[in-house]
Amino acid sequence: MAYILITANRNYSSWSLRPWLLMKGLGLDFDDRLEPFTKPSNYEEFRSFSPTGQVPVLLHEGRTIHDSMGITLYLADRHDGVWPAEADARAWAQCSAAEMHSGFSALRNDCTMNVGVRVKPKPMSDALKANVGRIRELFEEGLSRFGGPYLAGAAFSAVDAFFAPVAYRVRTYGLDVGKGQAWVDHIIAHPAMQAWEAAALKEEWREVGHEEELRACGEIVADYRFG
């Protein structure tokens, strides 16, 4: 049975981007099934295919694998390249991806992901400043320790996929990540990221809850989305 990956709107869904980019970046074959956000809560509708009522979800051989980290671990059991082969790089990548998965709440709340816009952010809270500082530290450490151009070395891996939504946030809000900007530019130029962005810009729908979250983050100064 082929993989089926269920994701949501390209503009909004940072959680969906992670496994989608990971599978594209590794050249894995999968069917891409889009279940868009249509209202502030899609829990009941999404429960028909997801035990958590959330995306992303991977369907494979009768199994339903939910959560972007759960999907990553499932794929790592079956495919090389999910994590770096070298032990130090692999340990750093796994810790950094886990840190991204469980933390950075101020970044998520104050800089919501929206691929197609540019925003002049509101004054940064101390919590957001700390989050951005830690992001900068991680990006610079990965590039310095492992030589780039990806975060854990010469090859794309899951840690790049986990921070890919942050790359869009850096661009959208003009966040300063120091020398880590080299990685931001590199990952946004990745063919899979370019494909994700092209699809995002063509999306015709707007979901009111996500749009309200965006407006709360600052002043929209450019909008490249359809319509």
Side-chain angles (χ1 to χ4, degrees):
M1 176 182 173
Y3 291 119
I4 300 172
L5 183 65
I6 305 176
T7 58
N9 311 53
R10 302 303 192 230
N11 270 304
Y12 307 135
S13 188
S14 59
W15 302 97
S16 295
L17 173 56
R18 293 171 173 182
W20 188 93
L21 179 62
L22 178 62
M23 296 178 78
K24 287 288 187 181
L26 295 178
L28 304 183
D29 185 38
F30 65 97
D31 292 331
D32 185 8
R33 176 176 149 191
L34 184 67
E35 294 283 349
F37 301 127
T38 57
K39 53 188 178 181
S41 176
N42 297 269
Y43 178 80
E44 292 301 330
E45 292 84 351
F46 284 11
R47 280 276 292 174
S48 66
F49 57 80
S50 168
T52 63
Q54 298 177 317
V55 290
V57 170
L58 184 70
L59 307 178
H60 184 241
E61 295 182 345
R63 303 181 188 96
T64 300
I65 302 94
H66 61 277
D67 191 276
S68 57
M69 182 61 82
I71 294 169
T72 298
L73 296 175
Y74 185 85
L75 294 173
D77 286 341
R78 290 158 177 80
H79 303 281
D80 294 334
V82 172
W83 301 111
E86 195 275 323
D88 287 346
R90 183 169 65 253
W92 183 87
Q94 290 172 339
C95 289
S96 299
E99 183 179 354
M100 181 69 250
H101 191 58
S102 63
F104 299 100
S105 60
L107 181 70
R108 300 183 201 280
N109 294 333
D110 296 350
C111 297
T112 187
M113 190 178 94
N114 193 301
V115 175
V117 301
R118 305 294 181 269
V119 175
K120 180 181 178 181
K122 65 184 182 182
M124 295 174 67
S125 67
D126 288 343
L128 180 57
K129 289 177 182 177
N131 277 188
V132 174
R134 178 56 180 154
I135 291 287
R136 174 176 178 166
E137 185 176 65
L138 281 167
F139 288 1
E140 292 184 342
E141 179 186 6
L143 293 174
S144 175
R145 283 184 62 183
F146 307 113
Y150 293 103
L151 288 177
F156 171 87
S157 69
V159 69
D160 299 290
F162 268 73
F163 282 97
V166 177
Y168 283 134
R169 287 176 164 99
V170 168
R171 186 183 67 180
T172 295
Y173 299 93
L175 305 178
D176 181 6
V177 291
K179 295 180 181 178
Q181 186 66 43
W183 174 81
V184 171
D185 295 340
H186 187 71
I187 198 66
I188 287 178
H190 191 289
M193 288 282 277
Q194 291 290 296
W196 179 277
E197 181 172 344
L201 297 183
K202 291 178 182 177
E203 288 180 345
E204 299 183 19
W205 54 75
R206 302 286 186 270
E207 193 285 301
V208 61
H210 287 84
E211 294 298 313
E212 289 175 352
E213 289 175 0
L214 176 64
R215 288 191 292 271
C217 292
E219 177 189 355
I220 300 172
V221 295
D223 191 337
Y224 302 107
R225 297 174 294 175
F226 177 90

